[in-house]
Amino acid sequence: MTEVKYINSEGKTFMLSNTDSVVRLKKGNFHKYSWTPETVEYKYGDQVQDFTKSAISYELTFAVKGNPIERKQRIQDLHNAAEHDIMVNKRGKLMFGEYAIECFLISSDTQPDDEKDTETVNTVTAYCPYPFWMRETMYSFQSHGMAGLIDAYDYPFDYGSVDYGIAGYRANTGMDATVPLEFRLVIYGPIKDPCIRINGHKYEVLVDVAENCILTISSLEKSDQEKSCILTYPSGKSMSVLHARNRDSYIFQPITSGDVVVYSEQEVSFDLIIIERRSEPLWI
């Protein structure tokens, strides 16, 4: 059974379906989606200009087992965490296996099970403003300078034989994506004017990333303004350095699925988080 859980904006986790059968998901159709065509009407038919996707909602029904006090507490804790997200207007996450979709739990209906007096049935509605399921895979790298030698470590995937100390690092994402993949590139200081090539494309920002500072380039676009290039200081203060990007090479260029070649001539540590985005989670 695929594990289903809700994680609120504070990181509190609530299982909605687990192997010990304390919580059992009875209903939750996650494999549905729709696109809306934007068209111009002609005499015969339409001309499609673009496609848009609206927010989506999922209704989940799950049964909670245990004595009455335990059941009430488990459900109440979930509702408190969900209402916190609504009050502070911060999205939680609905998880289906490795895939996550941001959401708010906007309604709830709790009833005793008509057939089992040891269970309580709760139905919630997950409202998802950004209607995509996402799976993140992180690659951590250490480049060794002008020779272009680069190591990969702590990678959560299996690429078979891997040669360390080669001029660049080649791997396969293992993702059969229908569209180019979004990413976050997290670069750790100290490094001046960091420049990293991915599949031959240059991602360069002309800024001094000092010791213990972090530069994050994020290509994920949930709104027209959300793509970002942020420098974060040890104090936690951050500022946009988008103006310092190399304008001759687009720093938000998506990454294709399949083979990925990473290369840098600088001594630099960085993480590459590749984000797979789907209308529905992959069938498991």
Side-chain angles (χ1 to χ4, degrees), residues 1 4-6 14-18 21-28 30 58-65 71 74-79 82 94 105 107-113 119-126:
M1 176 182 293
V4 179
K5 57 188 174 183
Y6 171 73
F14 302 88
M15 302 303 302
L16 304 183
S17 178
N18 59 12
S21 299
V22 174
V23 182
R24 177 172 54 88
L25 188 67
K26 301 179 69 174
K27 176 184 176 183
F30 303 121
Y58 298 98
E59 187 174 88
L60 293 79
T61 299
F62 55 93
V64 181
K65 293 184 178 181
R71 282 180 273 153
R74 184 182 290 268
I75 294 174
Q76 189 61 58
D77 288 346
L78 169 64
H79 294 173
L94 186 63
L105 299 188
S107 71
S108 173
D109 181 17
T110 306
Q111 301 288 338
D113 192 301
E119 290 186 355
T120 300
V121 177
N122 187 209
T123 299
V124 298
T125 300

Side-chain angles (χ1 to χ4, degrees), residues 71-178:
R71 282 180 273 153
K72 290 177 182 178
Q73 189 62 56
R74 184 182 290 268
I75 294 174
Q76 189 61 58
D77 288 346
L78 169 64
H79 294 173
N80 288 343
E83 289 212 322
H84 168 84
D85 291 348
I86 291 172
M87 294 302 179
V88 300
N89 196 16
K90 292 184 178 180
R91 304 173 188 178
K93 290 182 180 180
L94 186 63
M95 301 290 301
F96 180 84
E98 296 179 343
Y99 290 87
I101 189 168
E102 295 180 340
C103 71
F104 294 99
L105 299 188
I106 60 171
S107 71
S108 173
D109 181 17
T110 306
Q111 301 288 338
D113 192 301
D114 293 334
E115 299 178 357
K116 301 179 181 179
D117 59 9
T118 59
E119 290 186 355
T120 300
V121 177
N122 187 209
T123 299
V124 298
T125 300
Y127 168 70
C128 308
Y130 183 67
F132 289 99
W133 292 83
M134 292 179 287
R135 179 173 64 171
E136 298 187 358
T137 303
M138 186 175 78
Y139 310 72
S140 294
F141 296 100
Q142 174 67 54
S143 177
H144 303 299
M146 289 298 294
L149 303 182
I150 191 167
D151 291 338
Y153 55 94
D154 292 337
Y155 44 89
F157 41 79
D158 182 10
Y159 294 133
S161 61
V162 176
D163 292 327
Y164 292 95
I166 61 176
Y169 179 77
R170 179 186 296 273
N172 188 287
T173 64
M175 297 179 182
D176 184 17
T178 57

Side-chain angles (χ1 to χ4, degrees), residues 184-243:
R184 286 195 308 278
L185 187 57
V186 183
I187 303 169
Y188 301 95
I191 179 71
K192 182 175 176 60
D193 301 340
C195 178
I196 294 163
R197 293 182 183 272
I198 304 173
N199 289 346
H201 186 82
K202 182 189 293 185
Y203 298 83
E204 183 176 28
V205 184
L206 304 177
V207 67
D208 187 5
V209 185
E211 183 84 31
N212 297 321
C213 291
I214 298 173
L215 176 68
T216 304
I217 303 169
S218 176
S219 75
L220 188 63
E221 185 175 26
K222 299 176 189 174
S223 67
D224 291 339
Q225 292 80 33
E226 201 151 6
K227 292 183 178 182
S228 61
C229 182
I230 302 294
L231 181 61
T232 303
Y233 296 93
S235 64
K237 180 181 178 181
S238 62
M239 62 179 292
S240 173
V241 290
L242 185 61
H243 64 280

